[in-house]
Amino acid sequence: QVYLVESGGGLVETGGSLRLSCTVSGLLFGETTMGWFRQAPGKFRLGFSCITPKGAVIGYADSVRGRFTSSRDDAKNTLYLQMDNLKPEDTATYYCAPLRRCSGYELLKMPGGRPFDWGQGTQVTVSS
């Protein structure tokens, strides 16, 4: 079974920084495209960054480009998100997930069609 564990969130002031981590087990992390998602109160959970194996391709939504940086350490099965110059609109619960591909943030379908469970997420709150 796939396990996704996010950590590193917290409360920061506008302009501050946070570094999130996502540890992954239950799949071949080094061969899997990963994505970051966030969900603000009353909003849909949307992907905003993706990173392909070995970090060959890294994509960002316009809302975070230039402020957030995705990376990965395949030896540790860990995905990272460095968030700088945080804004109040970044306030949300942040999740990681395996993707089929970067384009469209399509979620990975596990062999046999068995779905994965979202992790608990980590809360990021940016005060104004």
Side-chain angles (χ1 to χ4, degrees), residues 6-12 18 20 39-41 83 86 88 90-95 120-126:
E6 300 92 348
S7 62
L11 173 63
V12 298
L18 285 172
L20 307 185
Q39 185 170 26
M83 304 186 295
L86 284 161
D90 295 319
T91 295
T93 303
Y94 284 70
Y95 304 86
Q120 82 285 357
T122 186
Q123 178 66 39
V124 171
T125 302
V126 185

Side-chain angles (χ1 to χ4, degrees), residues 1-50:
Q1 186 173 356
V2 175
Y3 292 95
L4 306 164
V5 182
E6 300 92 348
S7 62
L11 173 63
V12 298
E13 297 181 354
T14 297
S17 297
L18 285 172
R19 183 174 172 84
L20 307 185
S21 297
C22 165
T23 59
V24 182
S25 62
L27 54 73
L28 294 175
F29 179 80
E31 299 179 8
T32 303
T33 295
M34 297 294 299
W36 283 103
F37 293 71
R38 64 185 183 181
Q39 185 170 26
K43 302 294 183 66
F44 292 109
R45 185 175 300 179
L46 298 175
F48 62 86
S49 183
C50 65

Side-chain angles (χ1 to χ4, degrees), residues 24-94:
V24 182
S25 62
L27 54 73
L28 294 175
F29 179 80
E31 299 179 8
T32 303
T33 295
M34 297 294 299
W36 283 103
F37 293 71
R38 64 185 183 181
Q39 185 170 26
K43 302 294 183 66
F44 292 109
R45 185 175 300 179
L46 298 175
F48 62 86
S49 183
C50 65
I51 180 168
T52 64
K54 297 182 292 186
V57 177
I58 305 175
Y60 302 96
D62 290 342
S63 58
V64 307
R65 186 176 293 111
R67 300 187 298 116
F68 292 8
T69 304
S70 296
S71 61
R72 61 194 296 161
D73 186 337
D74 291 347
K76 296 182 177 181
N77 282 13
T78 301
L79 177 70
Y80 300 101
L81 181 70
Q82 178 66 43
M83 304 186 295
D84 297 318
N85 192 24
L86 284 161
K87 303 176 180 180
E89 50 263 47
D90 295 319
T91 295
T93 303
Y94 284 70

